[in-house]
Amino acid sequence: MSIVQTVLVFVGIPGAIIGLIAFAVYGKSMLRQPNRYRPGRPWPYEAAWFVPHPDAVVHSEGGHPQVEAGTTTKTTAIGGASGEW
Amino acid sequence: MSGESRIDPNHPDYGPVDPHHVQYGPIGHDLGANGFTARQLARLDEALTLSSRESGLTFSLYVGELKAPTRAHAEALFERLTDDSVLIAVAPGERALHIVTGPGSSRRLPNRACALAALAMRAAFTSGDLTGGLVTGLRMLSDSAGRI
């Protein structure tokens, strides 16, 4: 065998097989989850505030959340819980 | 409730969230602009709507930066909501999560129930499952609050 043939057989073929297996294992998640969150990494996205659609909620006392900038309602925080990870 | 000093909710640093970023349900926002895929947004929307409808409380999710002290920032955000609201504020960058209840919602959701939901959410966030943790938290809080 010439040097080129030797390299192709002993480096090219194993390399191709390794690449194929690696793609089969990681390829799907790399293609589908481009922005997956990983703990410890920064979160470079803009803040988002999700509120249910007003039609979905039956308000006992009337009034919808006023989350627009600069508005405050008379409510105050009473309780809750906190955590870090 | 925390020992941290109270802050002015309208202070520019604790910034009013740009109204542009406030959405009635996550669907319809530019894809990926807030770090979620369309599928994840659909899951969040479903969980948010169902838990709010079943419990009668207005659940809202805030995902983004929380300035230190993070608890005070979350409480300042809460003050823009109503008495019957529950705010779940998650700062993936700061790795902090806060559940805030108000005068109406704290009667249905004692701090113990919130702590349990926070624990479950932390477990999911630690493994990198942001959407799963949010959905789990919403479901647990909604179950604890019971139906109307």
Side-chain angles (χ1 to χ4, degrees), chain A residues 37 39 43 45-52 56 59-60 66-67 69 71 73 75-85, chain B residues 16 21-25 52 58-61 63 71 77 79-81 83-84 92 95 97-99 101 103 111 122 126 128:
Chain A
Y37 168 70
W43 182 255
Y45 308 101
E46 290 177 81
W49 199 345
F50 304 126
V51 187
H59 288 278
S60 52
Q66 297 293 320
V67 279
T71 58
T73 54
T75 191
T76 49
I78 296 290
S82 299
E84 288 184 347
W85 69 91
Chain B
H21 298 137
V22 175
Q23 306 144 49
Y24 290 117
S52 296
T58 307
F59 286 96
S60 68
L61 284 177
V63 184
R71 180 75 199 178
L77 291 174
E79 288 176 12
R80 283 183 226 145
L81 299 169
D83 287 356
D84 275 344
R95 301 168 95 173
L97 101 94
H98 294 286
I99 300 173
T101 53
N111 288 357
R122 279 176 54 196
T126 306

Side-chain angles (χ1 to χ4, degrees), chain B residues 34-121:
Chain B
N34 41 25
F36 295 102
T37 61
R39 195 178 205 172
Q40 292 170 331
L41 287 177
R43 281 183 67 198
L44 286 179
D45 184 43
E46 191 188 354
L48 198 60
T49 307
L50 278 179
S51 52
S52 296
R53 185 182 293 156
E54 283 181 6
S55 65
L57 301 171
T58 307
F59 286 96
S60 68
L61 284 177
Y62 175 88
V63 184
E65 188 191 7
L66 287 174
K67 299 220 164 62
T70 53
R71 180 75 199 178
H73 190 182
E75 289 183 356
L77 291 174
F78 180 81
E79 288 176 12
R80 283 183 226 145
L81 299 169
T82 56
D83 287 356
D84 275 344
S85 300
V86 180
L87 174 67
I88 300 176
V90 177
E94 288 79 34
R95 301 168 95 173
L97 101 94
H98 294 286
I99 300 173
V100 190
T101 53
S105 48
S106 63
R107 284 200 297 269
R108 308 262 310 272
L109 280 173
N111 288 357
R112 220 168 8 152
C114 297
L116 193 61
L119 192 70
M121 291 169 75

